[in-house]
């Protein structure tokens, strides 16, 4: 394999790192994800110039560290490594409650809408929505994500006042229960009202770009913020020159914008937006197989693959609410790559799957022979 000559590359060349080969074995070598037990012995080094990948090579991490490269590229590689290694501190909610990142957190989806893609209409009545949320909480959900506007392809925009009317009674009831709540909205006025009603987290599919006031509302609050990538409107499947790197660039830029607006980095979570403005199968599989790329952003990672169309495309299961097996496979795959929050419809089943995955890990750790003192 020819050696890499990075010193001749233009100053405009941009480096990316995808940690690879993640292992959780005691004593394993490699770059570590935060304070977790996940280490990566390999990294895929990509260097992009304009629209082209001029370097795309998988190397042992020690070789990446030993490569000669221009000072600016070295600084970026070190920043990406630091992002991977940065501890994922607990999300601090209003009132002092903390959500630790020591295991994958399960976020239960509560669509208070008539037209969401898999459960539209089931929870439009506030009492039905509250009961469903309480059942998810009893089943082990760490967070309930309450939304009043469908963002499925073809969905009609909802007036902000109607969106708020749908969700506020539900949020007030759940806040009274002490339930951690995220509000799934792209509208600043709805964010503000939801936070006042007791919501703790802002989850915006537009990463605070849809509403000019959203960034201000988020920065003036103390709420954690989930920034999701979505290109175009809900019905669009845009073209990408390089999907993976463009999603990364967008999220990196949105983190920088939030930090510049006064939102502490410790309050930020990113979501690559599985199923939002991506080709049904190819693009979503590329994201799901390279989730570790987003760990180099240095913030917790959320993945919402539950019941998405790409699962149907891969399995042949056309009805969204019949995609439980595929959703569990996707959640397990994401968790194995160090995902911090799983946004799901099927809470009880996902919690059970995560408990078993943790049991496998704990048993493997206990079975390692220890050296005598």
């Amino acid at each position: 394999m020819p050696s890499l000559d990075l010193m001749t590359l233009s100053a405009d060349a941009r480096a990316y790192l995808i940690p690879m080969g993640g292992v959780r074995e005691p004593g394993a070598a490699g770059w570590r994800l935060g304070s977790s037990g996940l280490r990566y012995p390999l990294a895929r080094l990509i260097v992009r110039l304009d629209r082209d990948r001029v370097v795309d090579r998988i190397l042992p991490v020690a070789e990446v560290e030993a490569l000669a490269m221009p000072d600016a590229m070295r600084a970026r590689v070190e920043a990406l490594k630091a992002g991977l290694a940065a501890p994922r501190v607990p999300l601090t909610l209003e009132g002092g409650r903390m959500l630790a990142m020591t295991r994958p957190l399960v976020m239960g989806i509560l669509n208070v809408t008539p037209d969401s893609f898999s459960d539209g209409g089931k929870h439009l009545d506030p009492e039905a929505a509250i009961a469903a949320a309480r059942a998810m909480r009893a089943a082990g959900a760490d967070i309930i994500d309450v939304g009043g506007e469908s963002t499925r392809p073809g969905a009609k925009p909802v007036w902000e006042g109607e969106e708020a009317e749908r969700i506020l009674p539900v949020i007030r009831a759940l806040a009274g229960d002490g339930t951690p709540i995220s509000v799934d909205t792209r509208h600043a006025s709805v964010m503000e009202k939801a936070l006042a009603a007791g919501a703790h987290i802002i989850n915006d599919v537009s990463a605070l770009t849809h509403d000019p006031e959203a960034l201000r509302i988020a920065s003036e609050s103390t709420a954690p913020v989930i920034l999701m990538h979505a290109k175009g409107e809900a019905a669009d499947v845009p073209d990408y020159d390089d999907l993976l790197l463009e999603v990364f660039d967008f999220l990196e830029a949105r983190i920088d914008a939030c930090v510049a607006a006064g939102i502490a980095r410790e309050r930020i979570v990113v979501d690559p937006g599985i199923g939002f403005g991506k080709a049904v199968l190819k693009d979503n599989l590329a994201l799901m197989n390279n989730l570790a790329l987003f760990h180099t952003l240095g913030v917790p990672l959320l993945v919402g693959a539950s019941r998405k169309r790409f699962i149907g495309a891969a399995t042949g299961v056309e009805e969204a609410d019949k995609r439980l097996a595929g959703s569990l496979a996707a959640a397990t795959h994401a968790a194995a790559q160090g995902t911090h929050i799983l946004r799901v419809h099927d809470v009880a089943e996902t919690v059970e799957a995560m408990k078993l995955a943790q049991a496998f890990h704990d048993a493997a750790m206990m079975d390692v022979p220890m050296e005598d003192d």
Side-chain angles (χ1 to χ4, degrees):
M1 182 179 293
S3 60
L4 283 177
D5 184 5
L6 302 177
M7 297 299 295
T8 61
L9 292 177
S10 163
D12 295 330
R14 183 171 173 82
Y16 304 81
L17 293 173
I18 305 179
M20 300 187 73
V23 293
R24 298 181 184 271
E25 299 171 3
W31 292 341
R32 187 178 183 184
L33 170 58
S35 54
S36 74
L38 186 58
R39 289 184 180 271
Y40 297 93
L42 304 171
R44 184 175 177 182
L45 173 64
I46 298 173
V47 181
R48 192 182 188 203
L49 182 59
D50 297 325
R51 298 183 177 183
D52 299 320
R53 294 189 184 189
V54 294
V55 173
D56 192 344
R57 185 80 65 83
I58 299 173
L59 299 166
V61 294
E63 291 188 23
V64 175
E65 292 171 344
L67 285 171
M69 59 185 71
D71 290 345
M73 186 178 294
R74 170 61 63 193
R76 176 160 174 83
V77 167
E78 291 300 322
L80 296 172
K81 283 173 50 187
L84 177 69
R88 271 45 172 189
V89 300
L91 295 179
T92 302
L93 310 183
E94 184 70 28
R97 178 180 299 192
M98 292 185 160
L99 296 174
M101 299 291 151
T102 54
R103 60 168 176 80
L105 300 177
V106 175
M107 173 186 280
I109 299 169
L110 185 67
N111 292 315
V112 191
T113 62
D115 56 348
S116 292
F117 81 95
S118 80
D119 57 358
K122 289 185 177 179
H123 308 131
L124 189 57
D125 175 72
E127 292 305 315
I130 293 164
R134 287 171 174 164
M136 287 192 284
R137 183 73 171 140
D142 299 286
I143 307 164
I144 302 298
D145 189 45
V146 182
E149 179 187 41
S150 174
T151 50
R152 66 171 176 81
K156 294 181 179 179
V158 175
W159 175 56
E160 296 170 35
E162 182 179 354
E163 181 187 358
E165 287 175 4
R166 290 175 179 177
I167 64 173
L168 293 181
V170 179
I171 289 173
R172 291 190 188 102
L174 299 181
D177 294 343
T179 299
I181 305 160
S182 59
V183 56
D184 178 2
T185 183
R186 55 188 182 154
H187 298 121
S189 67
V190 179
M191 293 174 193
E192 188 170 34
K193 291 174 183 177
L195 293 175
H200 305 93
I201 300 168
I202 295 169
N203 180 16
D204 185 354
V205 298
S206 78
L208 303 179
T209 64
H210 177 79
D211 189 322
E213 290 296 303
L215 190 59
R216 179 185 62 80
I217 294 298
S219 66
E220 291 177 356
S221 77
T222 60
V225 178
I226 300 167
L227 306 174
M228 196 192 83
H229 174 274
K231 186 175 180 179
E233 295 301 317
D236 296 340
V237 180
D239 291 328
Y240 297 88
D241 292 318
D242 194 319
L243 168 101
L244 198 60
L245 304 188
E246 289 175 38
V247 173
F248 180 92
D249 287 346
F250 172 85
L251 292 174
E252 186 176 37
R254 293 311 300 158
I255 291 172
D256 290 344
C258 287
V259 171
I263 300 173
R265 199 177 191 92
E266 292 75 19
R267 290 170 51 196
I268 298 173
V269 177
V270 294
D271 175 356
I274 303 297
F276 284 82
K278 284 84 178 177
V280 170
L281 188 58
K282 175 177 66 72
D283 288 350
N284 291 292
L285 293 180
L287 288 170
M288 290 293 293
N289 282 333
N290 292 282
L291 291 173
L293 167 69
F294 302 101
H295 291 319
T296 64
L297 291 168
V299 299
L301 173 64
L302 180 150
V303 170
S306 178
R307 300 186 185 178
K308 290 292 175 69
R309 285 190 299 161
F310 86 93
I311 295 174
T315 63
V317 179
E318 293 186 5
E319 295 179 53
D321 60 359
K322 301 286 179 61
R323 294 172 186 161
L324 172 60
S327 297
L328 291 177
T332 302
H333 181 71
Q337 295 185 68
T339 297
H340 301 92
I341 305 174
L342 301 168
R343 184 177 181 272
V344 304
H345 298 85
D346 303 294
V347 168
E349 294 86 349
T350 305
V351 168
E352 184 177 330
M354 292 303 104
K355 285 180 178 178
L356 185 58
Q358 187 65 44
F360 286 141
H361 175 255
D362 293 346
M365 294 286 285
M366 290 186 289
D367 196 40
V368 174
M370 304 298 290
E371 294 183 5
D372 294 333
D373 292 333

